Amino acid sequence: MKPPVFFQGDDDFANIISQKAAYVDKTGLLRELVTRSPKVTLLTRPPRFGKSLTLNMLQNFLEMNYANPEDRSIPEELFQDLDVFKEDKPLCDEYMGRYPVVSISFKGVEGLCFEDAALMLFNILLDLAKKFRFLLNRENIDEYSLFPLKEILDMGKDKNALFGPAGTLTPKTLSALTNFLKDLTSLLHDVYHKQVFLLIDEYEFPLKKAKLHGYYDEMLNIIRGIHLSALKGNSNLYKAIVTGCLRICYQSICSDANNFVCYGLRDAEYSDVIGFTT
């Protein structure tokens, strides 16, 4: 028998499983996250604790085949030897490969000045838009629903136009940044007639870097706008799972989002979902 392969720091669930690397099977706890968690759940853990891998595992479990929603062969192959597939068939039948998923990480949104960091944030949202660019070719989709997706793709062609005088964001850019996640969940709901799972990793990373380099207020305005738009009163949202390191940041970001429930390292709820347990 070959010894297990170790991929230190790898947060790509599909890569770990396909390469038969060492993996602590947390899939048996998927029911806790998928069916029992609040509408918007923040899980805070220290760095290198497995937050990104957990969200990636969740994405691989839930996300549908957009070209053929009835085809669930990819998640079935990934999860066939894991606990959730062997022990919770009802959950697999109802959720595995059944839902649209929007997954985004704010890790890497940093810079010595606000303009650099805002451009990194835009590029992350642009990459997400490119993933769903195929929707532009589908028939019978209302042009109004497609507009935010077209807009951010068009804005990516001339990134100099994102900024006004002195490196400030134009009103158009600010609106696109703060509303895109909500608009994307709306578009996916319109196309697939299912509410959307939203996964946000490293939610406070841009604020930590902004505090360090002196543009905290400008970045807070964007990050708060993104979260409030996507997470508060979003009828297209089935559930949102958000991860980060710091609990205190969510109080300033989401003070107006009263559906946001935070569970830290010392809270009993979901304590075994991320990280090693004894």
Side-chain angles (χ1 to χ4, degrees):
M1 181 177 179
K2 292 183 178 180
V5 178
F6 289 90
F7 291 163
Q8 186 175 3
D10 192 349
D11 55 17
D12 187 328
F13 174 81
N15 187 52
I16 290 172
I17 299 303
S18 63
Q19 296 296 322
K20 301 187 183 304
Y23 173 67
V24 178
D25 192 346
K26 294 282 186 174
T27 63
L29 303 172
L30 274 167
R31 179 171 287 277
E32 288 187 50
L33 284 177
V34 172
T35 68
R36 298 170 184 162
S37 61
K39 178 86 170 183
V40 181
T41 303
L42 170 62
L43 301 174
T44 58
R45 298 292 188 276
R48 316 307 302 170
F49 217 79
K51 300 184 295 297
S52 299
L53 177 58
T54 298
L55 288 191
N56 192 256
M57 179 263 288
L58 189 58
Q59 179 182 3
N60 277 273
F61 180 76
L62 294 167
E63 192 162 32
M64 63 168 53
N65 179 339
Y66 297 108
N68 182 9
E70 295 305 314
D71 175 25
R72 302 198 298 157
S73 58
I74 293 177
E76 285 176 351
E77 182 177 353
L78 284 175
F79 288 89
Q80 62 183 344
D81 296 322
L82 299 175
D83 288 347
V84 68
F85 196 86
K86 294 184 287 186
E87 300 173 3
D88 201 340
K89 188 176 184 299
L91 185 75
C92 293
D93 289 344
E94 185 174 356
Y95 289 95
M96 188 172 69
R98 298 291 194 191
Y99 283 85
V101 177
V102 174
S103 179
I104 189 168
S105 173
F106 291 139
K107 186 176 182 180
V109 178
E110 58 181 309
L112 297 178
C113 65
F114 172 70
E115 185 174 353
D116 289 345
L119 182 58
M120 288 187 177
L121 176 58
F122 176 83
N123 285 334
I124 287 174
L125 293 173
L126 180 62
D127 286 342
L128 184 61
K130 289 177 179 177
K131 173 183 174 179
F132 291 101
R133 181 162 44 192
F134 67 89
L135 293 172
L136 299 177
N137 299 319
R138 289 181 64 105
E139 297 180 354
N140 302 320
I141 303 179
D142 183 78
E143 285 293 318
Y144 180 80
S145 299
L146 287 172
F147 177 77
L149 180 60
K150 287 182 177 179
E151 181 182 48
I152 202 163
L153 289 169
D154 288 341
M155 292 169 67
K157 297 174 183 177
D158 182 11
K159 295 178 183 177
N160 291 326
L162 300 176
F163 300 94
T168 59
L169 294 174
T170 67
K172 178 182 176 180
T173 305
L174 181 61
S175 177
L177 288 176
T178 55
N179 292 309
F180 182 66
L181 289 186
K182 180 180 181 179
D183 291 336
L184 183 57
T185 61
S186 177
L187 174 58
L188 289 169
H189 181 267
D190 289 348
V191 174
Y192 295 102
H193 308 294
K194 284 195 169 187
Q195 289 178 305
V196 179
F197 278 85
L198 176 59
L199 311 178
I200 301 177
D201 193 24
E202 301 281 2
Y203 84 102
E204 86 286 30
F205 188 93
L207 295 181
K208 291 190 292 184
K209 298 300 180 179
K211 186 70 173 178
L212 183 64
H213 296 295
Y215 51 89
Y216 181 85
D217 290 342
E218 295 95 323
M219 185 57 70
L220 177 61
N221 186 42
I222 300 177
I223 299 300
R224 178 187 283 150
I226 290 173
H227 282 79
L228 291 181
S229 172
L231 303 177
K232 185 176 175 64
N234 185 355
S235 61
N236 304 298
L237 194 66
Y238 186 96
K239 192 163 291 190
I241 308 292
V242 184
T243 68
C245 298
L246 301 176
R247 189 181 191 124
I248 191 170
C249 283
Y250 109 95
Q251 296 170 348
S252 58
I253 294 173
C254 299
S255 58
D256 296 325
N258 51 15
N259 60 338
F260 213 103
V261 184
C262 179
Y263 299 100
L265 188 62
R266 297 185 179 182
D267 295 312
E269 295 91 340
Y270 312 108
S271 60
D272 52 355
V273 170
I274 302 176
F276 291 101
T277 53
T278 57

